[in-house]
Coordinates of all heavy atoms in Angstrom, one line a residue:
G1 N -5.5 -12.0 -8.1 CA -6.2 -10.9 -7.3 C -5.6 -10.7 -6.0 O -4.4 -11.1 -5.7
P2 N -6.2 -9.9 -5.1 CA -5.6 -9.7 -3.8 C -5.5 -11.0 -3.0 O -6.3 -11.9 -3.1 CB -6.6 -8.7 -3.1 CG -7.5 -8.3 -4.2 CD -7.5 -9.3 -5.2
V3 N -4.3 -11.1 -2.3 CA -4.1 -12.3 -1.4 C -3.7 -11.8 -0.1 O -3.3 -10.6 0.1 CB -3.1 -13.3 -2.0 CG1 -3.5 -13.8 -3.4 CG2 -1.7 -12.6 -2.1
A4 N -3.7 -12.6 1.0 CA -3.5 -12.2 2.4 C -2.1 -11.7 2.6 O -1.9 -10.6 3.1 CB -3.8 -13.4 3.3
V5 N -1.1 -12.4 2.1 CA 0.3 -12.1 2.5 C 0.6 -10.7 1.8 O 1.3 -9.9 2.4 CB 1.3 -13.2 2.0 CG1 2.7 -12.7 2.1 CG2 1.0 -14.5 2.9
V6 N 0.3 -10.6 0.5 CA 0.5 -9.4 -0.3 C -0.2 -8.2 0.3 O 0.3 -7.1 0.4 CB 0.3 -9.6 -1.7 CG1 0.4 -8.2 -2.5 CG2 1.3 -10.5 -2.4
S7 N -1.5 -8.5 0.8 CA -2.2 -7.4 1.5 C -1.5 -6.9 2.7 O -1.5 -5.7 3.0 CB -3.7 -7.9 1.7 OG -4.3 -8.2 0.6
L8 N -1.0 -7.8 3.5 CA -0.3 -7.5 4.7 C 1.0 -6.7 4.4 O 1.3 -5.7 5.1 CB 0.1 -8.7 5.4 CG 0.9 -8.5 6.7 CD1 0.1 -7.8 7.8 CD2 1.4 -9.9 7.3
L9 N 1.7 -7.2 3.4 CA 3.0 -6.5 2.9 C 2.6 -5.1 2.4 O 3.3 -4.1 2.7 CB 3.6 -7.2 1.8 CG 4.4 -8.5 2.2 CD1 4.7 -9.3 1.0 CD2 5.6 -8.2 3.0
T10 N 1.4 -4.9 1.7 CA 1.0 -3.6 1.2 C 0.8 -2.6 2.4 O 1.2 -1.5 2.5 CB -0.3 -3.7 0.4 OG1 0.0 -4.5 -0.7 CG2 -0.8 -2.4 0.0
A11 N 0.0 -3.1 3.4 CA -0.3 -2.4 4.6 C 1.0 -1.9 5.3 O 1.1 -0.8 5.7 CB -1.2 -3.1 5.5
S12 N 1.9 -2.8 5.4 CA 3.2 -2.5 6.1 C 4.0 -1.5 5.3 O 4.6 -0.6 6.0 CB 4.0 -3.8 6.3 OG 5.3 -3.5 6.8
A13 N 4.1 -1.6 4.0 CA 4.9 -0.7 3.2 C 4.2 0.7 3.1 O 4.9 1.7 3.3 CB 5.1 -1.2 1.8
V14 N 2.9 0.7 2.7 CA 2.3 2.0 2.5 C 2.1 2.7 3.9 O 2.1 3.9 3.9 CB 0.9 1.7 1.9 CG1 0.1 3.0 1.7 CG2 1.2 1.1 0.5
G15 N 1.9 1.9 5.0 CA 1.7 2.5 6.3 C 2.9 3.4 6.7 O 2.8 4.3 7.6
Q16 N 4.1 3.2 6.1 CA 5.2 3.9 6.5 C 5.4 5.3 5.8 O 6.2 6.1 6.1 CB 6.5 3.1 6.2 CG 6.6 1.8 7.0 CD 7.8 1.0 6.7 OE1 8.8 1.5 6.1 NE2 7.8 -0.3 7.1
V17 N 4.5 5.5 4.7 CA 4.6 6.7 3.9 C 3.3 7.5 4.0 O 3.4 8.7 3.6 CB 5.0 6.4 2.5 CG1 6.4 5.8 2.4 CG2 3.9 5.6 1.8
A18 N 2.3 6.9 4.5 CA 1.0 7.7 4.5 C 0.1 7.1 5.6 O 0.3 6.0 6.0 CB 0.2 7.6 3.2
E19 N -0.9 7.9 6.1 CA -1.8 7.4 7.1 C -3.0 6.8 6.5 O -3.5 7.3 5.5 CB -2.2 8.6 8.0 CG -3.1 8.2 9.1 CD -3.5 9.4 10.0 OE1 -2.9 10.5 9.8 OE2 -4.4 9.3 10.8
A20 N -3.4 5.6 7.0 CA -4.5 4.9 6.5 C -5.8 5.7 6.5 O -6.0 6.5 7.4 CB -4.8 3.6 7.3
G21 N -6.5 5.6 5.4 CA -7.8 6.4 5.3 C -7.6 7.7 4.5 O -8.6 8.3 4.2
T22 N -6.4 8.0 4.2 CA -6.1 9.3 3.5 C -6.0 9.0 2.0 O -5.7 7.9 1.6 CB -4.9 10.0 4.0 OG1 -3.7 9.2 3.7 CG2 -5.0 10.2 5.5
A23 N -6.1 10.1 1.2 CA -5.9 10.0 -0.2 C -4.5 9.6 -0.6 O -4.2 8.8 -1.5 CB -6.3 11.3 -0.9
G24 N -3.5 10.0 0.3 CA -2.1 9.7 0.1 C -1.9 8.3 0.2 O -1.0 7.7 -0.5
Y25 N -2.6 7.6 1.2 CA -2.5 6.2 1.4 C -2.9 5.4 0.1 O -2.2 4.5 -0.3 CB -3.3 5.8 2.5 CG -3.1 4.4 3.1 CD1 -2.2 4.1 4.1 CD2 -3.7 3.3 2.5 CE1 -1.9 2.9 4.6 CE2 -3.5 2.0 3.0 CZ -2.6 1.8 4.0 OH -2.3 0.5 4.5
A26 N -4.0 5.8 -0.5 CA -4.5 5.0 -1.7 C -3.6 5.3 -2.8 O -3.3 4.3 -3.6 CB -5.9 5.6 -2.1
V27 N -3.0 6.5 -3.0 CA -2.1 6.8 -4.1 C -0.8 6.0 -3.9 O -0.3 5.4 -4.8 CB -1.8 8.3 -4.1 CG1 -0.6 8.6 -5.1 CG2 -3.0 9.1 -4.6
A28 N -0.4 5.8 -2.6 CA 0.8 5.0 -2.3 C 0.6 3.6 -2.7 O 1.5 2.9 -3.2 CB 1.3 5.2 -0.9
A29 N -0.6 3.1 -2.5 CA -0.9 1.7 -2.8 C -0.9 1.5 -4.3 O -0.4 0.5 -4.9 CB -2.3 1.3 -2.2
L30 N -1.4 2.5 -5.1 CA -1.4 2.5 -6.5 C 0.1 2.5 -7.0 O 0.5 1.7 -7.9 CB -2.1 3.7 -7.1 CG -3.6 3.8 -6.8 CD1 -4.1 5.1 -7.4 CD2 -4.4 2.6 -7.5
T31 N 0.9 3.3 -6.4 CA 2.3 3.4 -6.8 C 3.0 2.0 -6.5 O 3.9 1.6 -7.3 CB 3.0 4.5 -6.0 OG1 2.3 5.7 -6.2 CG2 4.4 4.6 -6.5
L32 N 2.7 1.4 -5.4 CA 3.3 0.1 -5.1 C 2.9 -0.9 -6.1 O 3.8 -1.7 -6.5 CB 2.8 -0.4 -3.7 CG 3.6 -1.5 -3.0 CD1 5.0 -1.0 -2.7 CD2 2.8 -1.9 -1.7
A33 N 1.7 -0.9 -6.6 CA 1.3 -1.9 -7.6 C 2.0 -1.5 -8.9 O 2.4 -2.5 -9.7 CB -0.3 -1.8 -7.8
F34 N 2.1 -0.2 -9.2 CA 2.8 0.2 -10.4 C 4.3 -0.3 -10.5 O 4.8 -0.8 -11.4 CB 2.8 1.7 -10.6 CG 3.5 2.3 -11.7 CD1 3.0 2.2 -13.0 CD2 4.7 2.9 -11.6 CE1 3.7 2.7 -14.1 CE2 5.4 3.4 -12.7 CZ 4.9 3.3 -13.9
L35 N 5.0 0.0 -9.3 CA 6.4 -0.4 -9.2 C 6.5 -1.9 -9.3 O 7.5 -2.5 -10.0 CB 7.0 0.1 -8.0 CG 7.1 1.6 -7.9 CD1 7.6 2.0 -6.4 CD2 8.1 2.2 -8.9

């Protein structure tokens, strides 16, 4: 499931391509999981 370190890495990576709270941010998180 979700863990602290991976959650931090997710925030760091996704935060560079989209703004938190936007639909693009959620889609980027899905893409990160897919890749």
